[in-house]
Amino acid sequence: MNISKMIKKIDEFFTLSPKKQDVKKKKLLKIIEKLNDKKSTIQKEIKKSTEKKEKEKLKDELAAVKELIKKASKN
Amino acid sequence: MLKKVTLPTLFLLFAYFIISNDNAKVIIAGIAIFLVGMYFMENGFKLFSGGTLEKILEKSTNTILKSLTTGFIATSIVQSSSLTSIIMISFLSAGLIELTQAIGVIFGSNLGSTTTAWIIAYFGLKVKISIYAMPMIIFGVVLRFSKEIKYKGLGDVLLGLGFIFLGISYMKEGFETLKDSIDLAAYSIEGYTGVLIYIIIGAIITVIIQSSAATMAIVITALAGGQILYISALALAVGANLGTTITAIMAAMTSNENGKRLAAAHLIFNAITGVLTFIFIYQLSSFVDVVASFIGIEQNNYILKLALFHTIFNLIGIIIISPFIFIIVKFLMTVFIPKVRSSSKPKFLNESVIQIPESAIFALRNETINLYNKSLKAIIHAMNLHREDIFSKKNIKDVISVSNKRIDTNIDKIYNDKLKSLYSEIIRYTSLSQEPMNTQERIVLGSLKSAARKIIKSVKEIKELQKNINIFSRGKNTYIKEEYNYLREQLAYTLREIQIIRKDNLDEIDRLTKIEALRIKINKFDLIENEKIDDLIRTNKISARMATSLINDSSFATHICIRFVEIATIIWIKDEEIKEIGEEREY
């Protein structure tokens, strides 16, 4: 192992490892995936729904989930 | 006065004894180093497990057999029955497990703590463990410099093990050299009187040094050094078991009824086992001989036979007492009845778990929910509404139009009598519990503290709103009445939605979506932005004074709603990454 590699390893040890950051990124992608699933579920429910009030509430939730996907993607 | 003189005198005498007696110095230093090792190891496991231990203890206790096994395995690994029992008390207090399960874990943990004797007997005396102690301490210290909490924890575990090994080696050395100057075994008293005296000595040593593992280490090294007889060592082991119960009882004195019940169950177990072992100690000793020869332990290996005896009498205790766990539970439920708590007293802030990050956060979250529930009642009544109406499926507009009767709610009095001291306790507990926490846990703690602050701030703001709700909702001007009913509607809608969000059947993503939808809706609430007030003034429907009040109150209402959304995010979304997406601005 050369010196720079060793320094990098020591640096990783004493600071937060990129591995940990990678785990965080993966988790975020999983959350976005779940939010997308939620989005399609709401869209299906809107199509099915006949009651006006319920439809409105679902539309609010759809707007919310879209906003959340946007926020999560920024991260 | 007496205390001021007695304690320093005793301390000086103790210091003189240590300085003047070389052997005692080595033995006592060994005990001290051993105890430091136990402290580091316990602390290390708390950090290293990162809540895993709590999760295992929570999930693997649904039957008595599982509880017993889990208690045994957990304590064998972490080598601390007190850590296991503290976690159990916190789970009981939080209602995560039943008393029956917790007692099962404690019984299993008693058996688990006997593995310490095996470790000391096997490795501590056979191998020159001080050779391993030094590298462990060195690597332990190096690992402690890491920013990764798991490495830090591992460092503490290594450091702890190193100190434990070093402590044992000092004790061993001390007892070996003591043999040349004095033979303590010569003073042994024979028969049941001797056994009883050694049981009491074992219990006293354990109470003083607060660790049965350390007592067992002393007993084993003293036995190895030939300073005590085998039968006396057996009696000391029984005493150590009893002593550890006294330690648990002392800890439970400041605990709630759950802690007391568990400590009492521990006492019942150890007292019955202790009495039975005392009566049948000679028969048990012979039985140990039989088992020892069966599993290949030499007849003159008294150290391993002591470890075997320690395990066997605890195992017999479990076999005899476990079938009666349900009866013990029934009895303890009638003896320790929960006190009728003043509503201003905290329900979940258990002092005994303050040093365990996961459990302390759990307790704080529950207490913040308690503060929320209490404040919710005051806020809803201040709006002249009832919880059963808001949380029903009734149309909110209809509920508000018929709920104009004033509900006598003195917010100042409620704050002073019920909320202030609860809030202060949350702040105090937060400050005290953060010391052993890592950065992530401190962030969670900080947000819970901020949720409690937001709750209190909302209660104070509703007081301002309440005054005008009472004036205008029942006044003659229908326009201003309508506007104030609209403010009540916003608040009621927000609280109803949060009540849905906190339901158990929702997952974190569902909660986050509903919270975000509520946040978007609230942003549309503000009257100031939609120019409605200007229109009312222009058309002389409300006076300028009314308009000023309305502008202020509208702002209060919107702020309360936004704050409640933030509170809900903090309390009911536990996943930090999910929470991070939902969090927006501070109010």
Side-chain angles (χ1 to χ4, degrees):
Chain A
M1 193 188 281
N2 62 33
I3 299 285
S4 60
K5 246 186 182 177
M6 214 157 87
I7 290 171
K8 202 182 161 209
K9 282 269 169 203
I10 294 168
D11 189 49
E12 275 174 17
F13 178 73
F14 286 105
T15 52
L16 274 181
S17 62
K19 230 184 210 174
K20 208 169 180 180
Q21 286 171 17
D22 221 43
V23 170
K24 207 179 165 182
K25 209 173 172 184
K26 271 183 191 159
K27 208 176 166 194
L28 200 65
L29 286 173
K30 220 173 178 181
I31 294 170
I32 294 173
E33 200 184 303
K34 277 185 185 173
L35 283 168
N36 276 316
D37 287 346
K38 177 87 189 159
K39 189 176 126 186
S40 48
T41 314
I42 297 171
Q43 279 168 335
K44 275 178 202 161
E45 278 175 18
I46 290 173
K47 273 183 192 166
K48 261 196 242 163
S49 169
T50 48
E51 206 186 315
K52 195 188 162 194
K53 217 174 166 188
E54 198 196 322
K55 212 168 195 165
E56 245 173 56
K57 208 162 184 186
L58 285 168
K59 276 182 181 167
D60 284 347
E61 281 192 15
L62 185 64
V65 92
K66 280 179 182 169
E67 183 65 26
L68 287 170
I69 294 169
K70 215 161 87 185
K71 276 188 197 174
S73 306
K74 266 186 207 166
N75 289 341
Chain B
M1 180 66 190
L2 195 70
K3 207 176 170 184
K4 272 185 186 166
V5 178
T6 321
L7 279 177
T9 315
L10 280 174
F11 190 79
L12 284 172
L13 281 172
F14 185 57
Y16 174 74
F17 172 73
I18 293 172
I19 292 163
S20 61
N21 193 322
D22 275 346
N23 285 325
K25 187 164 46 190
V26 176
I27 295 168
I28 293 167
I31 298 169
I33 294 169
F34 185 94
L35 290 173
V36 169
M38 291 293 288
Y39 169 80
F40 272 110
M41 203 155 96
E42 194 174 309
N43 206 35
F45 268 110
K46 277 186 212 163
L47 295 176
F48 186 59
S49 68
T52 316
L53 182 64
E54 280 93 333
K55 277 178 200 126
I56 292 170
L57 286 173
E58 184 193 336
K59 286 180 183 152
S60 323
T61 53
N62 51 349
T63 62
I64 290 180
L65 191 64
K66 263 191 178 178
S67 305
L68 287 165
T69 318
T70 309
F72 168 71
I73 295 171
T75 308
S76 305
I77 295 169
V78 299
Q79 288 292 308
S80 168
S81 58
S82 56
L83 180 61
T84 314
S85 57
I86 284 169
I87 295 171
M88 280 302 106
I89 292 173
S90 73
F91 282 0
L92 269 177
S93 305
L96 274 177
I97 56 163
E98 298 288 323
L99 184 61
T100 321
Q101 297 159 266
I103 291 177
V105 173
I106 292 298
F107 287 3
S109 144
N110 244 28
L111 189 64
S113 67
T114 67
T115 52
T116 315
W118 285 98
I119 293 168
I120 299 168
Y122 238 115
F123 302 106
L125 301 176
K126 274 192 173 177
V127 190
K128 196 165 169 35
I129 48 171
S130 55
I131 298 171
Y132 300 101
M134 299 304 173
M136 278 180 177
I137 292 170
I138 294 165
F139 284 108
V141 170
V142 171
L143 283 168
R144 285 197 100 231
F145 285 120
S146 171
K147 282 180 186 164
E148 283 269 7
I149 212 75
K150 277 199 188 297
Y151 286 127
K152 241 183 201 200
L154 187 63
D156 273 0
V157 172
L158 277 181
L159 205 57
L161 272 174
F163 279 131
I164 286 173
F165 284 3
L166 198 65
I168 292 170
S169 119
Y170 271 115
M171 280 190 254
K172 194 176 142 193
E173 192 187 312
F175 277 115
E176 269 165 11
T177 44
L178 188 69
K179 208 160 105 183
D180 303 331
S181 53
I182 184 171
D183 184 12
L184 288 175
Y187 298 97
S188 295
I189 304 156
E190 296 214 350
Y192 273 104
T193 321
V195 171
L196 187 64
I197 289 170
Y198 276 100
I199 287 177
I200 295 168
I201 292 173
I204 291 172
I205 295 173
T206 310
V207 171
I208 293 171
I209 59 179
Q210 301 270 301
S211 163
S212 63
T215 308
M216 283 311 289
I218 299 169
V219 175
I220 291 170
T221 46
L223 181 65
Q227 288 295 326
I228 47 170
L229 297 178
Y230 173 58
I231 193 76
S232 311
L234 301 188
L236 283 164
V238 179
N241 251 40
L242 281 172
T244 196
T245 315
I246 296 164
T247 316
I249 290 169
M250 278 154 74
M253 275 178 182
T254 54
S255 173
N256 58 11
E257 64 281 351
N258 286 315
K260 288 186 178 112
R261 282 174 190 151
L262 208 56
H266 202 178
L267 173 70
I268 292 170
F269 178 88
N270 280 356
I272 294 175
T273 315
V275 169
L276 287 175
T277 314
F278 171 63
I279 297 169
F280 300 107
I281 195 158
Y282 292 102
Q283 288 84 345
L284 253 175
S285 170
S286 310
F287 179 63
V288 168
D289 288 344
V290 175
V291 179
S293 66
F294 185 72
I295 58 171
I297 296 173
E298 288 167 24
Q299 280 307 306
N300 58 354
N301 191 342
Y302 293 110
I303 310 293
L304 281 181
K305 271 165 60 179
L306 170 65
L308 184 61
F309 168 82
H310 197 204
T311 305
I312 285 178
F313 87 75
N314 273 293
L315 191 62
I316 290 176
I318 289 177
I319 294 166
I320 294 174
I321 305 164
S322 289
F324 303 102
I325 284 185
F326 291 104
I327 298 168
I328 295 172
V329 168
K330 226 176 177 179
F331 167 71
L332 294 173
M333 290 299 226
T334 51
V335 175
F336 300 101
I337 301 158
K339 282 180 200 156
V340 181
R341 250 176 252 277
S342 148
S343 58
S344 63
K345 289 263 165 66
K347 263 165 85 177
F348 302 98
L349 302 182
N350 196 330
E351 298 296 323
S352 53
V353 299
I354 208 160
Q355 290 298 314
I356 302 176
E358 283 257 329
S359 307
I361 287 173
F362 197 84
L364 263 167
R365 191 184 300 279
N366 282 335
E367 204 60 66
T368 313
I369 294 173
N370 185 29
L371 180 73
Y372 174 88
N373 290 338
K374 285 189 167 52
S375 307
L376 193 66
K377 189 180 168 189
I379 288 172
I380 292 173
H381 285 177
M383 294 191 291
N384 296 333
L385 294 168
H386 290 285
R387 281 172 297 176
E388 52 273 27
D389 290 329
I390 289 189
F391 301 148
S392 68
K393 284 188 174 167
K394 290 178 195 168
N395 185 300
I396 287 184
K397 254 190 186 151
D398 296 343
V399 169
I400 285 169
S401 62
V402 293
S403 312
N404 283 322
K405 203 176 161 200
R406 184 182 172 149
I407 300 173
D408 219 4
T409 314
N410 186 339
I411 293 287
D412 277 336
K413 194 171 177 340
I414 293 172
Y415 172 71
N416 285 316
D417 293 353
K418 294 182 177 171
L419 306 176
K420 197 179 172 184
S421 58
L422 194 57
Y423 177 53
S424 312
E425 277 300 309
I426 289 176
I427 299 297
R428 185 191 67 84
Y429 199 85
T430 313
S431 310
L432 294 177
S433 58
Q434 66 179 316
E435 198 216 319
M437 290 187 178
N438 61 36
T439 321
Q440 194 55 43
E441 286 159 343
R442 282 182 188 202
I443 290 170
V444 178
L445 200 74
S447 60
L448 285 171
K449 191 166 129 182
S450 124
R453 183 170 48 84
K454 286 173 202 281
I455 294 169
I456 294 297
K457 209 169 172 189
S458 302
V459 172
K460 286 184 173 172
E461 278 189 358
I462 202 74
K463 192 188 139 197
E464 303 299 322
L465 201 59
Q466 183 191 27
K467 203 171 72 190
N468 288 336
I469 285 177
N470 282 334
I471 296 170
F472 298 125
S473 308
R474 295 184 305 136
K476 283 174 189 163
N477 186 326
T478 51
Y479 296 104
I480 190 82
K481 183 179 172 177
E482 221 172 85
E483 293 313 317
Y484 270 89
N485 276 352
Y486 178 63
L487 297 187
R488 291 164 75 205
E489 196 186 314
Q490 292 173 14
L491 285 160
Y493 178 83
T494 305
L495 298 179
R496 179 182 277 186
E497 285 301 301
I498 289 176
Q499 202 66 13
I500 296 167
I501 287 159
R502 64 188 282 190
K503 274 183 190 163
D504 287 337
N505 57 356
L506 292 181
D507 71 16
E508 301 259 285
I509 294 288
D510 281 338
R511 284 200 176 121
L512 184 71
T513 310
K514 285 193 185 301
I515 286 174
E516 190 61 27
L518 183 58
R519 200 195 299 270
I520 294 170
K521 190 127 188 163
I522 290 168
N523 285 335
K524 292 176 191 163
F525 278 163
D526 206 335
L527 281 170
I528 307 162
E529 283 170 24
N530 62 24
E531 297 175 355
K532 207 172 177 184
I533 299 174
D534 285 342
D535 187 47
L536 287 170
I537 300 171
R538 256 198 317 269
T539 50
N540 281 328
K541 284 174 181 157
I542 61 169
S543 67
R545 207 172 144 256
M546 282 175 182
T548 317
S549 301
L550 188 57
I551 288 169
N552 288 337
D553 291 338
S554 169
S555 166
F556 280 142
T558 312
H559 281 186
I560 293 172
C561 291
I562 293 173
R563 218 174 285 125
F564 264 88
V565 169
E566 288 166 356
I567 293 163
T569 313
I570 294 170
I571 303 180
W572 287 293
I573 295 186
K574 289 171 192 160
D575 187 306
E576 285 305 306
E577 267 86 15
I578 294 180
K579 192 188 285 179
E580 219 172 90
I581 300 167
E583 275 167 353
E584 216 180 26
R585 51 187 167 157
E586 276 275 317
Y587 265 85

